[in-house]
Amino acid sequence: MTGTGRRTVRSKGKLAVADSIDVSDVSRTSSRPSSKSRMDHRRDGSLIRILNVDLRVILAIGLVAFLAIFFLIQSLIAPVEESHQRPRVVTPFPSPKLMELDQFQGEHKESLYWGTYRPQVYFGVRARAPRSLVAGLMWLGVKDGRYHMRHVCQDSDELSKYGWIAHNGRDFGKQELVDQELKLETSFLKSRSQGSGYGGDWAVQIDVQHEKSGPSNELLKTGHMFFYLADESGNALSPNSHADENNVDSLLVSGSRADVGEWQVHLNSKENLEVHYSGFRTSYIHNLSDLILQDLSEQVRNFGRLQLPDSSENSANILVFQVAAKIPFRMDITFVSGTEGKGSSSEQRLSSLQGASLSTQLQQKQAEFDSKFEQLFNGAHKLESDSAVVGKAAIANMLGGIGYFYGQSKIAYPHYEGHDNYIAYWPAELYTAVPSRPFFPRGFLWDEGFHQLLIWRWDLRISLDIVGHWLDLMNIDGWIPREQILGSEARSKVPEEFIPQYPSNGNPPTLFLVIRDLLNGIERNIFTDVESRDVTSFLERAFIRLEAWLQWFNITQSGKQKGSYYWHGRDNKTTRELNPKTLSSGLDDYPRASHPNEDERHVDLRCWMLLAANCMQSISKFFENGDIPGKEYASTVKLLSDFELLNEMHLDPTSGAYFDFGNHTEQVRLSWKEVRGENHHLKRELVREALERPKLRLVPHIGYVSLFPFMGNIIPPDSWILEKQLDLISNGSILWTNYGLRSLAKTSSVYMKRNTEHDPPYWRGPIWMNMNYLVLSALHHYSQVDGPYRERAKQIYSDLRSNLIRNVVQNYNQTGFLWEQYDQRKGKGKGARLFTGWTALVLLIMGEAYT
């Protein structure tokens, strides 16, 4: 993960209100620039006759006057033109968008209109539209004798477990959440039938139980759920003030929108529910939980009641409904669209999405999910039951974590007058999976390629839709901002200093991983006729953007030597970092040359470029008789796959490892020193110091980067270097552990060392699933092709696969989560939990699904 450097940072809420409620008092008694001025020019021929002046003088005077007027007009026009000029960095790529393809219109577009596209909250629903009707769930949890509001996914809530256990990416999902002694199940179902508005109807079934036989805390005998509707377009919502008088089938709220027509939301339950509400008029919802806590606190303070005030601001566009009941209880909340007209079918559609009918449909969808999982990933029935549970959680959370975002990226653009050195990208939408709901609930470019390795196998059209959205974010230079922080909800999770994106910095072009899979799928004829047409039309439209993306790398990230590349964006002036980070590479603090400069050569980027060039060559060949003009990529592929040149640039013959090259010394350390801070006060800080002058050389750190040529299958199967690579992988003193391959060898001088006082080791030892997946894929390849090391590759493959699966399953059984990384010493999950981005690749490892 890049951008924020995968560092977990939490931002504070916007409102200064308590994040909890003391319940000790509850028992009390109840421009535009102006137009240019016009100038009236009159010709008066009599003037020449009267003055009898030489014609040349008259012409000269006329020319001077004309020039004066011309420059005057230009001076008036220039500010207007300048104000309308768009810098290249925020100019969209000038070709038809992928999302305008026919395959993404009509039925496909409507079928995906509503969904659980708010991964940052525990449960949320929205439409794939810039200004949507938004729904969500909150509840009151209890900790240390106080109520705490649960809404946005965050570790500080200390939920012992939460996440999707089933989700098909389209119209069904089931989630389990365990909050201390409270257990919730949220089940989502979408339905489209005759008479419904655009996108159809949907329902959520909320089941509230005690985790154990009975609560130890009196506060948990009653459950307090808060379900809300918010209209981002600002349309007023109409609450039903008598919602609590009919608990069997109660209309909560209604409204009207241009997209779905008139709509209603109903509450249904067999239990005795108490319902109260609040209404707000505001443009933002990311701090909605603060507003509710404020209302509840005032009610407790003034009336001794833990309930919303049953009042609303004028023309409220947000309504929150508090539903309280004795635990256990179950309730169904149903959204019905197209309710206008006397002949509306809304009552029948409402009935089908409530009670027993809803429960039956949810059971059917669960059975379909289980069946599809078995068909795709367990066809040989090799998975043990524990592994199958983890595999289902992996795909369910990947699909359930898909979100829809809309907004403008903030781009660093120095010297842009009047804009504080930043400029806004054009307004854009993004449909994407996310790495982690609590920590990284937004789009990351280099993560997304890994996500799609899993998603395309489950639902090809969804995968193409996501990749298309990403490619449509490309600017005229072929650059794509690597971290997408779109909209107020996304920005609320990121500190301000990490929001700007830098147009000089790239990210690994991992979308080519899925492009390669699609090309291989066409070649192997694994797609249906419809799927093949979809992939073909997609690649044909995407070609020019992919070409521009590759060209951007060749122009901006190439090195001094032909066929070399290096990641831009490293800080060559830092005095705080042990080794300047390479955030653009995605490997953050993985050690590179100690003193960054233009002489660097990064072997991982070179391999990414070969992958991209190979894909472009394959697409060119595929369409060589079609509408795509022939483009010669053979020379680029030949250059980057030149094994001798690769070895000349990056190979250390002694170890058989591939290294970066640059201005480097191993004699660098962090030392405590007294430095002058603000106001000239002395303070102690860890400061970097080099004990010798660096020199141009290979950077001798064995780790994931050293294996990139191996992971790219560039090494010939009969090469002695392949044997050396297998030695590095299987050596317990270097990369091998019983839990997976560590990211940096124990022999490295910076193994498990902090990069700054505040930055613990990240890619300097811990085990990462995405790189282990690529290594396994290569081992699988070399175990299938003829060569002297085939059997050894096969054995290492089997052992590594077993270690990875066993450790991930064991951690999931112990903690209930997939983790960002795993400790290389004991295998314990660490970093972000509920990290169901590329850690979900464990499912492909279980199913042995490689390119």
Side-chain angles (χ1 to χ4, degrees):
M1 175 81 66
T2 57
T4 54
R6 245 333 175 218
R7 303 299 179 187
T8 302
V9 194
R10 300 183 180 89
S11 57
K12 297 181 179 179
K14 302 297 182 183
L15 294 180
V17 298
D19 64 351
S20 61
I21 303 173
D22 189 340
V23 295
S24 59
D25 297 329
V26 174
S27 60
R28 282 186 283 165
T29 305
S30 0
S31 71
R32 180 179 175 181
S34 60
S35 303
K36 301 185 294 292
S37 39
R38 295 185 175 90
M39 303 192 69
D40 187 12
H41 308 290
R42 293 187 174 91
R43 295 182 180 178
D44 192 344
S46 63
L47 180 62
I48 299 176
R49 293 193 298 272
I50 295 171
L51 295 178
N52 193 22
V53 180
D54 186 276
L55 182 59
R56 289 174 297 178
V57 176
I58 296 298
L59 290 174
I61 293 173
L63 179 60
V64 171
F66 170 78
L67 291 174
I69 294 171
F70 174 80
F71 286 117
L72 174 61
I73 293 174
Q74 287 297 305
S75 67
L76 294 172
I77 292 175
V80 179
E81 289 185 340
E82 183 178 350
S83 67
H84 288 283
Q85 285 180 345
R86 297 170 66 98
R88 289 183 65 86
V89 71
V90 293
T91 301
F93 190 80
S95 76
K97 290 186 174 182
L98 274 298
M99 299 319 300
E100 294 172 353
L101 284 168
D102 288 344
Q103 63 180 280
F104 299 128
Q105 309 306 313
E107 166 67 19
H108 169 81
K109 190 172 185 178
E110 185 176 1
S111 71
L112 291 176
Y113 193 62
W114 293 106
T116 54
Y117 303 140
R118 301 180 62 212
Q120 68 274 17
V121 297
Y122 288 116
F123 179 83
V125 177
R126 70 165 294 130
R128 294 205 317 174
R131 295 190 177 276
S132 169
L133 185 66
V134 174
L137 176 69
M138 309 181 201
W139 72 91
L140 286 180
V142 176
K143 180 183 175 183
D144 299 329
R146 297 171 68 92
Y147 283 120
H148 292 258
M149 186 65 76
R150 312 303 195 201
H151 179 210
V152 177
C153 301
Q154 51 191 10
D155 261 13
S156 58
D157 288 343
E158 298 182 357
L159 268 66
S160 55
K161 180 180 181 180
Y162 66 97
W164 298 98
I165 57 174
H167 204 296
N168 65 9
R170 289 185 173 269
D171 56 14
F172 164 72
K174 183 176 181 180
Q175 185 179 210
E176 286 185 353
L177 309 98
V178 179
D179 182 4
Q180 308 295 327
E181 299 178 40
L182 193 65
K183 181 179 180 180
L184 281 72
E185 285 187 0
T186 64
S187 299
F188 173 76
L189 181 72
K190 187 169 62 178
S191 172
R192 288 191 299 145
S193 56
Q194 185 69 31
S196 62
Y198 186 82
D201 311 318
W202 52 264
V204 55
Q205 186 174 90
I206 303 169
D207 196 342
V208 185
Q209 308 256 353
H210 288 126
E211 172 67 354
K212 300 177 181 178
S213 57
S216 61
N217 194 316
E218 286 292 317
L219 299 179
L220 283 174
K221 288 188 174 181
T222 300
H224 296 271
M225 303 290 115
F226 298 81
F227 190 84
Y228 63 86
L229 276 296
D231 193 312
E232 293 179 324
S233 295
N235 297 315
L237 307 182
S238 302
N240 177 12
S241 58
H242 303 291
D244 59 343
E245 294 180 2
N246 182 3
N247 290 327
V248 176
D249 179 10
S250 179
L251 172 66
L252 291 179
V253 56
S254 60
S256 178
R257 286 179 55 89
D259 53 354
V260 300
E262 293 184 10
W263 57 268
Q264 297 176 350
V265 169
H266 291 256
L267 170 66
N268 176 275
S269 179
K270 293 182 179 180
E271 276 78 37
N272 184 27
L273 307 180
E274 184 177 349
V275 181
H276 300 278
Y277 74 94
S278 280
F280 307 95
R281 180 76 187 173
T282 179
S283 301
Y284 304 103
I285 63 173
H286 63 269
N287 56 358
L288 181 57
S289 56
D290 291 336
L291 297 176
I292 298 173
L293 279 171
Q294 197 172 48
D295 269 7
L296 288 174
S297 297
E298 289 179 1
Q299 287 289 102
V300 170
R301 221 170 20 248
N302 296 332
F303 307 106
R305 299 188 300 238
L306 187 64
Q307 64 185 51
L308 293 177
D310 294 317
S311 63
S312 175
E313 297 176 7
N314 292 332
S315 301
N317 66 316
I318 299 178
L319 285 174
V320 183
F321 295 91
Q322 177 186 6
V323 182
K326 294 293 183 182
I327 300 174
F329 66 94
R330 174 184 292 179
M331 61 182 183
D332 303 329
I333 296 176
T334 308
F335 169 85
V336 185
S337 57
T339 58
E340 60 270 26
K342 292 184 178 179
S344 169
S345 62
S346 58
E347 290 187 8
Q348 182 180 353
R349 289 184 282 117
L350 172 63
S351 177
S352 69
L353 290 174
Q354 293 180 331
S357 176
L358 174 60
S359 297
T360 298
Q361 292 178 75
L362 289 171
Q363 291 170 4
Q364 292 172 346
K365 288 292 183 180
Q366 178 71 59
E368 292 173 8
F369 171 83
D370 292 338
S371 176
K372 186 172 184 177
F373 177 87
E374 290 294 319
Q375 177 187 349
L376 292 177
F377 303 112
N378 195 24
H381 303 289
K382 294 180 179 179
L383 294 184
E384 298 180 1
S385 59
D386 282 358
S387 295
V389 169
V390 176
K392 289 179 181 180
I395 185 62
N397 280 287
M398 177 70 81
L399 296 168
I402 293 175
Y404 174 89
F405 307 92
Y406 181 84
Q408 292 177 270
S409 290
K410 188 175 182 180
I411 309 300
Y413 196 68
H415 316 304
Y416 192 54
E417 186 175 351
H419 291 74
D420 298 325
N421 291 329
Y422 302 110
I423 189 171
Y425 223 48
W426 63 87
E429 59 180 354
L430 180 62
Y431 173 63
T432 184
V434 303
S436 171
R437 289 169 61 192
F439 289 94
F440 309 110
R442 52 193 177 275
F444 285 82
L445 180 56
W446 109 281
D447 293 63
E448 200 55 37
F450 290 104
H451 298 165
Q452 295 315 308
L453 292 176
L454 185 55
I455 293 176
W456 82 258
R457 289 173 165 88
W458 179 270
D459 193 313
L460 177 63
R461 186 68 70 80
I462 285 180
S463 183
L464 293 175
D465 198 321
I466 290 174
V467 176
H469 270 89
W470 273 100
L471 292 179
D472 281 348
L473 293 172
M474 181 177 292
N475 76 2
I476 194 172
D477 294 321
W479 175 70
I480 303 174
R482 67 179 191 234
E483 184 175 355
Q484 295 293 323
I485 309 168
L486 305 177
S488 59
E489 281 197 281
R491 287 196 301 271
S492 69
K493 298 281 285 185
V494 184
E496 186 66 28
E497 64 269 24
F498 292 116
I499 292 178
Q501 303 297 296
Y502 292 83
S504 61
N505 300 348
N507 226 195
T510 58
L511 295 182
F512 280 106
L513 291 171
V514 68
I515 297 296
R516 179 179 63 183
D517 274 7
L518 298 178
L519 290 165
N520 288 337
I522 291 176
E523 183 179 345
R524 292 163 49 212
N525 198 29
I526 67 171
F527 299 129
T528 65
D529 290 343
V530 173
E531 288 174 338
S532 293
R533 286 196 298 269
D534 285 346
V535 173
T536 300
S537 63
F538 181 89
L539 293 176
E540 188 173 17
R541 175 70 63 89
F543 182 86
I544 190 171
R545 290 177 180 267
L546 295 172
E547 187 175 52
W549 199 17
L550 178 57
Q551 185 67 5
W552 181 87
F553 277 98
N554 281 324
I555 291 174
T556 67
Q557 311 291 300
S558 58
K560 285 185 175 182
Q561 186 171 339
K562 187 176 182 180
S564 68
Y565 297 86
Y566 72 100
W567 297 107
H568 285 49
R570 300 186 71 208
D571 185 357
N572 60 7
K573 295 183 174 64
T574 181
T575 60
R576 298 290 187 272
E577 296 181 80
L578 179 63
N579 188 277
K581 290 192 291 292
T582 315
L583 295 177
S584 53
S585 73
L587 303 178
D588 294 15
D589 67 343
Y590 186 95
R592 309 281 183 162
S594 60
H595 291 68
N597 64 15
E598 295 180 353
D599 292 307
E600 283 192 90
R601 301 197 295 259
H602 292 148
V603 64
D604 54 331
L605 181 50
R606 189 182 194 278
C607 293
W608 286 121
M609 290 300 94
L610 175 57
L611 168 66
N614 263 320
C615 287
M616 296 307 296
Q617 183 183 28
S618 296
I619 299 173
S620 295
K621 287 182 178 179
F622 187 78
F623 290 107
E624 60 185 355
N625 296 321
D627 295 330
I628 289 182
K631 182 74 176 182
E632 183 56 58
Y633 285 95
S635 59
T636 303
V637 172
K638 182 178 180 181
L639 173 66
L640 296 179
S641 59
D642 185 326
F643 191 53
E644 296 305 319
L645 180 60
L646 169 69
N647 294 340
E648 179 184 320
M649 285 185 176
H650 293 286
L651 179 68
D652 172 42
T654 303
S655 65
Y658 288 96
F659 293 143
D660 289 337
F661 178 88
N663 198 29
H664 181 73
T665 174
E666 285 286 277
Q667 300 302 312
V668 179
R669 68 184 183 187
L670 293 177
S671 302
W672 287 103
K673 291 190 176 182
E674 288 190 342
V675 297
R676 292 197 179 276
E678 296 180 4
N679 301 322
H680 302 287
H681 291 311
L682 288 175
K683 58 179 181 180
R684 283 174 56 80
E685 289 186 358
L686 270 178
V687 177
R688 161 187 159 114
E689 59 177 338
L691 305 181
E692 69 176 14
R693 292 180 63 85
K695 62 181 180 180
L696 293 176
R697 55 175 290 189
L698 291 174
V699 182
H701 296 285
I702 298 174
Y704 289 159
V705 165
S706 309
L707 302 178
F708 262 80
F710 172 81
M711 292 187 282
N713 301 339
I714 301 171
I715 304 172
D718 58 353
S719 170
W720 64 270
I721 299 173
L722 177 58
E723 181 180 28
K724 287 281 191 177
Q725 291 272 299
L726 295 176
D727 288 342
L728 296 175
I729 290 170
S730 59
N731 190 328
S733 298
I734 300 178
L735 297 178
W736 187 269
T737 79
N738 290 331
Y739 317 104
L741 299 184
R742 56 172 66 91
S743 47
L744 188 64
K746 293 170 68 175
T747 55
S748 169
S749 60
V750 297
Y751 173 72
M752 290 306 291
K753 286 189 177 180
R754 304 181 72 88
N755 201 48
T756 70
E757 179 182 355
H758 305 290
D759 286 339
Y762 202 47
W763 290 85
R764 296 184 178 178
I767 297 162
W768 294 81
M769 192 59 61
N770 60 335
M771 293 293 106
N772 274 269
Y773 173 80
L774 293 181
V775 169
L776 274 175
S777 183
L779 287 167
H780 187 265
H781 164 75
Y782 286 114
S783 71
Q784 301 292 316
V785 298
D786 289 335
Y789 313 111
R790 179 176 179 175
E791 289 304 315
R792 189 173 181 211
K794 185 176 182 179
Q795 185 60 53
I796 296 173
Y797 165 81
S798 177
D799 293 344
L800 178 59
R801 176 176 175 269
S802 296
N803 288 347
L804 288 164
I805 294 174
R806 182 180 63 253
N807 189 59
V808 171
V809 170
Q810 181 176 323
N811 270 272
Y812 185 87
N813 290 336
Q814 292 174 347
T815 67
F817 296 101
L818 297 179
W819 292 80
E820 181 182 15
Q821 52 181 219
Y822 293 87
D823 180 73
Q824 72 279 14
R825 290 160 297 197
K826 297 184 178 180
K828 184 178 180 181
K830 58 190 297 187
R833 65 177 191 168
L834 195 64
F835 191 94
T836 46
W838 59 44
T839 301
L841 292 173
V842 69
L843 175 56
L844 297 187
I845 294 173
M846 293 175 179
E848 298 189 89
Y850 311 105
T851 299

